[in-house]
Amino acid sequence: MKRAAIIGAGPSGFYAAEQLLKAEFEVDLYEALPTPFGLVRFGVAPDHPKIKSVTRIYEKTAQHPAFRFFGGVRFGEHVSRAELLERYHAVVYAYGTMTDNRLGIPGEDRPGSHSATEFVAWYNGHPDHAEHRFDLDAERAVVVGNGNVALDVARMLVLASDELAPTDTADHALEALGAACVTDVVLLGRRGPAEAAFTNPELRELGELARADLLVDPAQLDGAAEPDDTTRRRNVEILRDYAQRTPTGRSHRIQLRFLRSPLEVLGDGEHGRVTGLRVAINRLVTGADGRMRAEPTGEEEIIDCGLVLRSIGYRGVPVAGVPFDERRGLIRNEGGRVCDDDGPCRGEYAVGWIKRGPSGVIGTNKKCSADTVGRLLEDADGGRLGDPMAPDAAAVLEWLGARVPGLVTWEGWQAIDAHERSLGEPAGRPRVKLVRTEQLIQVGRAVSEAMYV
Ligand code: NAP
């Protein structure tokens, strides 16, 4: 039987597992954290529980007898690329894009200026971000970027405590957001309304918030293009509708401002807290590739604010010697086959955001993984997979058990899951997340150890 290791237990990793199991591979799914589901647990906004219910599909995959989960195993630290290639016919990288893009402007690292990735990970209880502190005592926040993550962040800043209370928002964030002074959020786009990367349901949802008025200056819609793309055309229609609304005097406001690029995060003294954002006012020009580009008009303005969250996309980081395309911030690959200067690397594949970049919704990863697995199976048929020296499932478990102190198996995760759900139940919450790695390992370990000690 052929054996595959998948590195990263987010959506693309689970879809790859599902497809490989169908092709009768044995699948070991490795994850750096003690918990599975990647961005479904740590990215999807807590007020979107329906989106999170996709985990039921992954749970079904995990029931397959040829599937194993190894949580708490850091690729490149606990196990190396060479060690995996010695043990598996195929290694599939599904570890996503772990960092964020930077604006590259003065003042970006001032206190009060953060990346949305950190903020999202913090309110979702990611163990690496549990200690983070955000200055939520400012009245105005600016969120830079016009994608769905920017919408999530803006919404989370204005949801009321009683709206967040029934969610799985991390307890530390519930407390901090409940005490927050932010009443105004400015969403800043460097291009125009027709170029925003929002999807329609998410943009509509922004106009239905209980305690925030949505403000769009009608003048910003003047001359907006009528894009061919259906999503973008509908976005413009939704924004035109918003621009006609009269504010109803709600306690909070979200304002969408287009054609503005950050130039400098302003603050008290050289390293002091954020006091504002200096922005260039842009106009749109058609680039050589036919795409609309933002070009500065030479005019500037200052937006007073005490918090800046940049939400301008994620970026992959090189891991454990896997060939990496620095320019794109992705694993070097051709259609999912990992490549180096000599061509395809035998037995190595990539799926999800680390293969194609941080775009699309969760379901996009299903096709992405299927495409890669299709090529993997072609290679299997053609005798082009890896040739492992020790493809022994029992030996892998022993090896990991001895090497990884906090190894959490699927049964261990189920214990964590049950524990979190039982904590949430009395308050009518889906779960109360454990946010410290030691706590997660403690709950998951006793059950996990029974599997390998
Ligand atoms: P995104 O959709 O790629 O949006 C990134 C935004 O940042 C764009 O508006 C981009 O503007 C802007 N940007 C990039 N560089 C900039 C710069 N230097 N200065 C100013 N603005 C800049 O990324 P995302 O919001 O991180 O979302 C990632 C993916 O996850 C997307 O596919 C998204 O749909 C998905 N997602 C889905 C949901 C959902 O379905 N509910 C929720 C969250 C995320 P330009 O267009 O001008 O480059």
Side-chain angles (χ1 to χ4, degrees):
M1 193 173 246
K2 295 269 190 272
R3 298 176 36 68
I6 301 174
I7 318 299
S12 65
F14 266 99
Y15 290 124
E18 183 188 341
Q19 289 139 10
L20 284 165
L21 289 164
K22 269 193 202 141
E24 299 191 350
F25 273 62
E26 286 181 351
V27 173
D28 288 345
L29 180 54
Y30 287 78
E31 167 59 51
L33 294 167
T35 53
F37 308 142
L39 278 183
V40 179
R41 181 172 163 105
F42 296 120
V44 173
D47 63 330
H48 282 170
K50 268 199 199 144
I51 299 182
K52 290 179 194 243
S53 65
V54 69
T55 55
R56 287 197 207 116
I57 297 169
Y58 310 149
E59 281 161 355
K60 216 171 141 210
T61 300
Q63 296 316 311
H64 196 291
F67 173 93
R68 297 187 299 184
F69 171 73
F70 297 133
V73 187
R74 284 192 291 278
F75 176 55
E77 187 182 322
H78 293 123
V79 299
S80 72
R81 179 186 180 204
E83 286 169 328
L84 291 178
L85 289 168
E86 277 168 19
R87 289 166 174 81
Y88 296 92
H89 300 90
V91 178
V92 181
Y93 304 116
Y95 45 72
T97 46
M98 291 184 273
T99 187
D100 56 281
N101 286 325
R102 290 180 61 82
L103 287 162
I105 59 172
E108 193 169 3
D109 294 317
R110 284 180 182 282
S113 169
H114 312 267
S115 75
T117 40
E118 285 165 352
F119 189 61
V120 169
W122 169 77
Y123 65 59
N124 274 320
H126 190 299
D128 295 349
H129 297 268
E131 303 296 335
H132 224 104
R133 293 281 169 274
F134 291 90
D135 311 295
L136 301 175
D137 50 353
E139 284 178 17
R140 184 179 294 124
V142 176
V143 181
V144 181
N146 268 186
N148 281 338
V149 171
L151 294 185
D152 283 347
V153 163
R155 222 176 45 252
M156 286 297 289
L157 283 170
V158 302
L159 287 175
S161 293
D162 61 346
E163 292 175 292
L164 287 175
T167 70
D168 65 0
T169 307
D171 279 356
H172 56 246
L174 274 183
E175 199 181 311
L177 289 166
C181 302
V182 177
T183 52
D184 287 81
V185 179
V186 178
L187 259 175
L188 212 64
R190 65 176 165 184
R191 299 192 288 158
E195 288 75 33
F198 313 133
T199 48
N200 304 146
E202 280 65 26
L203 184 56
R204 274 198 204 97
E205 186 185 10
L206 204 68
E208 292 159 7
L209 296 173
R211 72 170 185 173
D213 277 322
L214 195 62
L215 312 179
V216 182
D217 177 358
Q220 296 241 293
L221 272 299
D222 286 349
E226 294 296 330
D228 294 336
D229 176 273
T230 315
T231 297
R232 294 191 178 215
R233 195 170 58 247
R234 292 220 176 103
N235 275 347
V236 174
E237 285 163 16
I238 297 165
L239 289 165
R240 284 196 199 287
D241 171 49
Y242 290 161
Q244 280 160 20
R245 288 187 181 180
T246 311
T248 58
R250 289 181 169 93
S251 57
H252 293 61
R253 286 151 296 278
I254 296 179
Q255 187 186 39
L256 286 110
R257 273 200 222 176
F258 297 97
L259 297 171
R260 305 288 191 275
S261 287
L263 293 173
E264 181 180 3
V265 181
L266 305 170
D268 292 324
E270 203 180 337
H271 302 292
R273 258 195 74 166
V274 171
T275 56
L277 191 64
R278 185 164 67 82
V279 302
I281 302 179
N282 300 329
R283 65 172 152 251
L284 288 174
V285 293
T286 310
D289 55 0
R291 205 168 166 259
M292 299 309 281
R293 232 167 17 84
E295 184 181 82
T297 59
E299 280 177 75
E300 293 181 6
E301 66 183 19
I302 289 174
I303 304 173
D304 295 329
C305 62
L307 177 66
V308 173
L309 293 167
R310 62 174 187 276
S311 178
I312 57 169
Y314 295 74
R315 194 176 166 76
V317 291
V319 181
V322 179
F324 193 74
D325 179 339
E326 286 288 349
R327 194 185 55 80
R328 300 182 67 209
L330 305 175
I331 288 179
R332 272 182 75 182
N333 76 95
E334 278 170 26
R337 286 186 179 104
V338 176
C339 296
D340 61 16
D341 290 343
D342 300 325
C345 303
R346 220 175 156 97
E348 291 181 273
Y349 301 86
V351 293
W353 280 8
I354 197 62
K355 164 188 165 188
R356 66 173 204 279
S359 66
V361 293
I362 291 169
T364 314
N365 294 297
K366 187 164 185 174
K367 176 159 185 329
C368 176
S369 293
D371 289 347
T372 294
V373 171
R375 290 188 167 96
L376 189 160
L377 297 179
E378 276 169 31
D379 292 348
D381 287 345
R384 294 186 299 274
L385 287 187
D387 187 14
M389 290 186 315
D392 177 338
V396 164
L397 193 57
E398 256 176 60
W399 169 62
L400 290 174
R403 180 168 300 194
V404 185
L407 183 66
V408 174
T409 61
W410 189 256
E411 293 72 15
W413 154 245
Q414 285 176 312
I416 296 170
D417 187 35
H419 181 75
E420 289 187 340
R421 285 179 191 276
S422 70
L423 292 178
E425 205 179 330
R429 300 175 65 190
R431 67 179 66 243
V432 172
K433 283 182 180 169
L434 302 182
V435 299
R436 301 198 192 285
T437 306
E438 318 80 72
Q439 291 175 313
L440 288 159
I441 290 174
Q442 199 187 6
V443 177
R445 190 165 167 178
V447 191
S448 304
E449 274 182 356
M451 310 299 296
Y452 58 85
V453 171

